[in-house]
Amino acid sequence: MYKILERYRTCNYNSPEATPPAENEINYQEYLKLKTRLEYLQSSQRNILGEDLGPLTMRELEQIENQIDISLKHIRTRKNKVLLDELYDLKSKEQELLDQNKDLRKKLHDISCAENALHMSWQDGGHGSSSGHAIKTTYPGLLQRPEHDSSMQIGYHQLNNEDMAPQRLDGHLGSFAGWI
């Protein structure tokens, strides 16, 4: 096809009445080459898409088939690479999240252990050995009502056994802590 266009151009420009300048002829030759190339590429594209296959020979059909097979292999290779890259990224994110989860579980366990130790300490009567029992043993008779001398009872606030027991509110010492 290119040769036919080239012969047409040479016959047409060799006429005596019209001879284009040299610069226009170079531009026109470039135009014809590009136009021929464009037509060839458009025809190849239609053939690859399965159109206009009627005038093609068996050899041309095999070439198109091979070209499509090679293209499919390149596409599949690229697709597999993209999928593997995504898989690698997801595995990295999974490991990062597992590590964060492990750290959070450890912190939760540490906090839980600390709360349990504090709760056990409160159940044992406060902060270690400084409980209400220590007051009773350290200062015996301090909170006892004198029974033998009535003159000593002036201004004495009479306490019953419930007032002397520590009161607990949600596992914490209540009003008894104010007596100490």
Side-chain angles (χ1 to χ4, degrees):
M1 181 183 250
Y2 177 73
K3 291 178 182 176
I4 293 170
L5 289 172
E6 197 62 35
R7 279 193 328 208
Y8 172 77
R9 184 187 58 82
T10 55
C11 291
N12 197 13
Y13 283 127
N14 286 338
S15 66
E17 63 255 33
T19 55
E23 186 177 320
N24 284 345
E25 188 168 328
I26 293 172
N27 287 340
Y28 188 71
Q29 286 177 1
E30 186 67 27
Y31 165 76
L32 289 177
K33 287 178 185 178
L34 291 175
K35 184 177 179 183
T36 306
R37 179 76 176 149
L38 177 65
E39 289 172 358
Y40 173 76
L41 290 175
Q42 288 174 339
S43 174
S44 296
Q45 182 182 13
R46 283 191 303 272
N47 292 349
I48 289 174
L49 293 175
E51 301 171 0
D52 298 333
L53 298 176
L56 297 178
T57 66
M58 183 59 108
R59 184 174 180 201
E60 291 172 330
L61 290 172
E62 287 176 354
Q63 287 177 347
I64 292 172
E65 185 179 22
N66 290 336
Q67 185 179 2
I68 291 172
D69 286 341
I70 292 170
S71 296
L72 279 174
K73 286 178 185 176
H74 289 294
I75 291 168
R76 288 182 181 137
T77 301
R78 176 65 182 147
K79 179 182 169 186
N80 287 337
K81 183 181 181 331
V82 168
L83 287 174
L84 288 174
D85 289 345
E86 287 179 11
L87 181 65
Y88 177 76
D89 290 342
L90 289 174
K91 284 194 179 265
S92 297
K93 288 178 184 178
E94 177 190 25
Q95 186 60 43
E96 183 179 317
L97 290 173
L98 287 173
D99 291 343
Q100 288 177 356
N101 194 5
K102 182 180 174 184
D103 291 342
L104 290 174
R105 284 184 191 271
K106 184 177 184 286
K107 286 180 183 178
L108 182 64
H109 182 268
D110 291 346
I111 290 171
S112 175
C113 288
E115 285 179 355
N116 285 341
L118 181 62
H119 188 265
M120 294 299 281
S121 140
W122 281 109
Q123 284 182 349
D124 288 343
H127 300 287
S129 64
S130 63
S131 65
H133 303 296
I135 293 173
K136 290 179 185 175
T137 58
T138 308
Y139 303 104
L142 178 67
L143 297 176
Q144 295 177 356
R145 183 174 147 190
E147 299 205 13
H148 61 281
D149 189 5
S150 63
S151 64
M152 299 293 285
Q153 294 180 5
I154 300 173
Y156 178 77
H157 176 63
Q158 190 171 9
L159 297 174
N160 57 21
N161 286 340
E162 291 100 22
D163 291 333
M164 292 178 59
Q167 297 177 3
R168 296 189 183 268
L169 300 174
D170 293 333
H172 303 292
L173 286 176
S175 63
F176 183 71
W179 287 12
I180 300 175

